[in-house]
Amino acid sequence: MIDLHLHTTASDGRSEPEELARRAAAAGLRTIAVTDHDTTAGVARARAAAAPLGVKVVMGIEITAVHASRDVHLLGYFFDDGDPELTTFLERQRADRRRRIGLMLDRLRALGIALDEESVRSEAAAAGKAIGRPAIARALVTAGHAENIADAFDRFIAEGRPGFIARQGAPPADVVALIARAGGVSSFAHPGKLGLDDLLPDLARAGLTAVEVFHPDHAGADSDRYMALAQALGLLVSGGSDYHGPASGRVDAMGVVHLPDVHFQALQAQAEIARRERRPGRRGPGL
Ligand code: AMP
Ligand code: ZN
Ligand code: FE
Ligand code: FE
């Protein structure tokens, strides 16, 4: 089985990369992608632990882009994680995450909720780690302001809630192009969660490779609809469990949603083409 959407402690997942590898093997997965938010810091560790277990780890990431003040998640696969332009971009993304967490803590403080900034930030203190709202959610639970992670999001830090600060960042089309220049393929993550399907035709023209058809937040009808949409737009198909680990406030189900092999083969073939077409030093205009 194949699962191309998994998070580790390199971002907001609860499993260390090695533990993720063990859990993947135990769940019967043979090919996985570690797709942490705005970092690839967990990939090498997961790969080292997975290899002896017969599990292949594909290079992956989930990059947050911004469209009209809304977060749009783009998955990247098979790219060169040493690409200098990508590396610089991701360092900026992570710096912006740290800045935004500070602003959200300020916002909560103004609402009378003082959280321990040090302990919130300590989760992502190591180099290459990406901090995210779940770190604040956990602090809200620990301090007794929320019953659980989902409650913390619903009341304080989900989009439009009082502790929420909208992100600033690159448009989705720029992220699609960036992943392509780094030799990878891109997929529009969990479109059913977002409600911005109108973006897909433009992104397809901008070089988007795939749509994440298989995702736990997609009911059967959603998957069917996105499968049809992908076909209509000439896009490939990706999928995975978006596993964040135990006690993450999300479905704890690795491999329950998985990607049929035929779709993985198509992504891999497209990545081969992308790599061949990549011409270092011959980049597009305006770069
Ligand atoms: P951020 O990257 O800082 O924007 O935080 C977004 C992340 O928070 C998502 O990728 C999810 O992992 C997590 N998240 C968002 N909403 C919820 C929720 N209602 N319950 C649990 N986790 C959530
Ligand atoms: Zn996440
Ligand atoms: Fe996501
Ligand atoms: Fe995710």
Side-chain angles (χ1 to χ4, degrees):
M1 280 203 304
I2 300 163
D3 187 335
L4 297 187
H5 195 154
L6 303 165
H7 294 270
T8 75
T9 49
S11 65
D12 58 3
R14 304 307 290 155
S15 303
E16 295 287 336
E18 292 80 8
E19 188 193 342
L20 184 89
R22 282 193 294 276
R23 284 172 179 261
L29 296 169
R30 308 309 268 173
T31 301
I32 61 173
V34 173
T35 53
D36 277 307
H37 301 286
D38 295 323
T39 182
T40 56
V43 178
R45 280 173 57 192
R47 193 172 272 165
L53 305 173
V55 179
K56 187 179 149 193
V57 179
V58 168
M59 181 54 67
I61 196 160
E62 183 173 18
I63 296 180
T64 303
V66 181
H67 173 82
S69 299
R70 300 213 35 216
D71 291 1
V72 176
H73 290 182
L74 290 158
L75 296 156
Y77 298 110
F78 303 110
F79 52 88
D80 168 14
D81 73 327
D83 180 83
E85 188 192 7
L86 179 67
T87 303
T88 305
F89 175 87
L90 294 177
E91 278 166 6
R92 258 192 238 123
Q93 291 277 100
R94 293 194 296 269
D96 199 59
R97 282 176 169 276
R98 289 191 291 273
R99 194 181 62 84
R100 180 183 184 227
I101 291 295
L103 293 176
M104 290 181 60
L105 290 171
D106 291 347
R107 179 70 71 82
L108 288 168
R109 207 172 292 121
L111 293 169
I113 297 178
L115 300 176
D116 180 14
E117 177 149 5
E118 194 85 338
S119 80
V120 171
R121 291 194 182 279
S122 68
E123 285 199 20
K129 283 200 176 189
I131 197 159
R133 277 178 285 163
I136 295 183
R138 276 189 286 280
L140 283 166
V141 174
T142 303
H145 297 289
E147 280 179 32
N148 51 46
I149 303 287
D151 185 43
F153 270 89
D154 289 349
R155 288 171 51 201
F156 297 108
I157 56 173
E159 203 175 276
R161 304 306 297 151
F164 177 79
I165 303 267
R167 198 188 302 262
Q168 288 163 357
D174 288 12
V175 172
V176 163
L178 177 72
I179 293 168
R181 285 197 298 275
V185 298
S186 55
S187 182
F188 195 94
H190 44 67
K193 262 172 87 161
L194 195 63
L196 287 176
D197 292 1
D198 288 354
L199 288 179
L200 280 165
D202 278 348
L203 286 179
R205 277 189 288 275
L208 179 71
T209 313
V211 178
E212 190 177 45
V213 169
F214 302 105
H215 186 278
D217 290 348
H218 289 177
D222 292 325
S223 294
D224 292 349
R225 189 158 58 86
Y226 286 114
M227 184 63 87
L229 193 53
Q231 254 154 19
L233 294 171
L235 295 169
L236 301 180
V237 170
S238 79
S241 60
D242 208 353
Y243 176 84
H244 280 71
S248 62
R250 305 171 57 108
V251 183
D252 183 4
M254 200 190 287
V256 166
V257 170
H258 59 99
L259 182 69
D261 190 55
V262 58
H263 298 299
F264 179 72
Q265 296 299 334
L267 282 174
Q268 204 169 24
Q270 187 56 42
E272 282 300 319
I273 294 168
R275 239 194 312 274
R276 274 202 298 275
E277 284 178 354
R278 189 173 168 219
R279 298 270 188 281
R282 252 197 61 198
R283 294 185 167 172
L287 297 165

